[in-house]
């Protein structure tokens, strides 16, 4: 597969919590095949990955390849307690002070601050649409401007896990939560970016609940069910390449198998895209 002279590639990155690491491997495969994203659309962990990758700008392919490597190193350094901090007793104290969430957002905010390459979304070298869910209307919102850290915090704010985030809308303050609730695989954000080709880096998996260990297991499985409804998208004449990876059965808040997820994403994307240097059209 080759980058055509006038191809405008838009990358759509889904939510998926700890499985978001598969998108690192998928990106590596795309970069090896000459894909140079003109824009990104990301929801939840896919929004984090998107804005970090957009920091590479529109420079040489080597810049993006190095950015993908850096993203992989960031992922390799994450532990579950970094995102979901505290012991059982500290969580009880948090719930007393913040009854809308089980966990403090402090760890998530530290992650956002480390990964955000700009202060404002519109200042990124490559355009990104960050997806959140507006609770007042249950709609997905595809942001193209605003404070980057605040938008990322909203896009990753799993309901009941982290506090909702207040964003200023046209009619005043609004309450926003994880973008995956309204649009888990946000292809609907791509048409406004006028793509000629869309690559979907899908880290989501079907809802699964094998054994209930904690209330969080039930909550995350319930959220996964709610996230399966997706907006209908029509993009006549646009090639859509949907990349997925097998499910390792890892809990969505378990970051202990990141290296396997990255390798899995790379292998799955290579199989879908075909050998390097092969000149053909990828099947949607």
């Amino acid at each position: 597969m080759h980058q055509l002279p006038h191809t405008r590639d838009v990358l759509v990155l889904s939510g998926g919590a700890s499985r978001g690491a598969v998108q690192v491997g998928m990106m590596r495969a795309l970069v090896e095949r000459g894909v140079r994203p003109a824009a990104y659309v990301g929801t939840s962990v896919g929004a984090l990955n998107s804005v970090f990758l957009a920091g590479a700008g529109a420079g040489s392919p080597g810049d993006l390849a190095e950015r993908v490597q850096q993203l992989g190193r960031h992922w390799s350094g994450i532990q579950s307690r970094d995102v979901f901090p505290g012991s059982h007793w500290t969580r009880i104290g948090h719930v007393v002070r913040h009854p809308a969430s089980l966990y403090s957002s402090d760890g998530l905010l530290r992650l956002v601050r480390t990964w955000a390459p700009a202060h404002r979304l519109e200042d990124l070298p490559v355009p990104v649409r960050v997806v959140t869910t507006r609770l007042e209307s249950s709609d997905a919102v595809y942001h193209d401007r605003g404070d980057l850290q605040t938008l990322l915090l909203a896009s990753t704010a799993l309901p009941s896990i982290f506090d909702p985030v207040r964003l200023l809308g046209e009619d005043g303050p609004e309450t926003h939560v994880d973008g995956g609730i309204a649009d888990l695989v946000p292809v609907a954000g791509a048409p406004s970016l006028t793509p000629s080709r869309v690559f979907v880096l899908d880290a989501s998996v079907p809802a699964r609940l094998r054994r209930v260990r904690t209330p969080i297991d039930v909550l995350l499985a319930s959220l996964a069910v709610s996230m399966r409804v997706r907006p209908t998208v029509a993009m006549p004449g646009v090639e859509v390449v949907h990349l997925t990876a097998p499910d390792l059965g890892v809990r969505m808040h378990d970051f202990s198998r990141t290296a396997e997820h990255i390798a899995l994403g790379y292998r799955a994307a290579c199989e879908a895209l075909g050998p390097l240097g092969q000149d053909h059209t990828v099947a949607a």
Side-chain angles (χ1 to χ4, degrees):
M1 181 186 65
H2 296 294
Q3 175 84 40
L4 301 176
H6 302 295
T7 298
R8 180 173 169 83
D9 290 330
V10 172
L11 271 57
V12 173
L13 281 71
S14 77
S18 62
R19 269 182 54 87
V22 301
Q23 294 171 346
V24 179
M26 293 172 178
M27 276 299 306
R28 178 184 164 199
L30 288 171
V31 171
E32 287 178 349
R33 286 157 178 78
V35 173
R36 299 289 298 152
Y40 298 85
V41 184
T43 193
S44 196
V45 71
L48 280 169
N49 285 339
S50 293
V51 300
F52 186 85
L53 292 167
S60 69
D63 293 337
L64 183 56
E66 172 59 26
R67 198 71 175 170
V68 173
Q69 290 182 0
Q70 291 175 4
L71 183 58
R73 290 193 289 270
H74 277 306
W75 268 98
S76 298
I78 299 177
Q79 298 184 28
S80 296
R81 65 174 178 267
D82 296 330
V83 183
F84 303 96
S87 65
H88 172 73
W89 296 109
T90 57
R91 285 198 293 274
I92 291 176
H94 172 79
V95 171
V96 170
R97 297 187 301 273
H98 302 270
S101 62
L102 289 173
Y103 287 92
S104 165
S105 299
D106 291 348
L108 185 59
L109 181 57
R110 282 192 292 271
L111 186 69
V112 164
R113 286 173 174 167
T114 301
W115 289 28
H119 294 296
R120 303 279 304 175
L121 178 58
E122 62 267 31
D123 292 338
L124 289 170
V126 176
V128 179
R129 300 292 184 266
V130 170
V131 187
T132 66
T133 299
R134 183 194 294 118
L135 283 185
E136 285 84 357
S137 62
S138 303
D139 292 333
V141 181
Y142 306 89
H143 302 269
D144 61 3
R145 62 187 59 251
D147 181 83
L148 185 53
Q149 292 183 11
T150 304
L151 289 173
L152 289 175
L153 201 60
S155 186
T156 53
L158 276 168
S160 299
I161 302 292
F162 301 115
D163 280 335
V165 176
R166 299 286 280 173
L167 300 176
L168 185 62
E170 293 182 0
D171 300 321
E174 302 170 342
T175 306
H176 289 250
V177 296
D178 194 297
I181 300 300
D183 197 358
L184 180 60
V185 186
V187 179
S192 66
L193 294 163
T194 62
S196 57
R197 184 167 58 177
V198 172
F199 289 96
V200 181
L201 282 61
D202 190 351
S204 68
V205 292
R208 46 179 161 78
L209 184 61
R210 296 171 183 167
R211 184 169 60 169
V212 176
R213 293 182 178 178
T214 69
I216 296 174
D217 291 335
V218 180
L219 178 58
L220 290 176
S222 301
L223 288 172
V225 172
S226 74
M227 291 174 173
R228 304 321 300 178
V229 178
R230 302 175 185 175
T232 302
V233 183
M235 291 186 289
V238 176
E239 180 186 6
V240 179
V241 182
H242 196 150
L243 303 178
T244 61
D247 183 6
L248 293 180
V250 177
R251 283 179 167 79
M252 304 305 277
H253 55 296
D254 180 358
F255 292 84
S256 65
R257 299 178 71 179
T258 290
E260 291 176 74
H261 276 136
I262 293 174
L264 184 68
Y266 178 72
R267 289 196 303 271
C270 287
E271 290 174 5
L273 297 170
L276 285 170
Q278 182 172 328
D279 190 8
H280 68 281
T281 299
V282 181

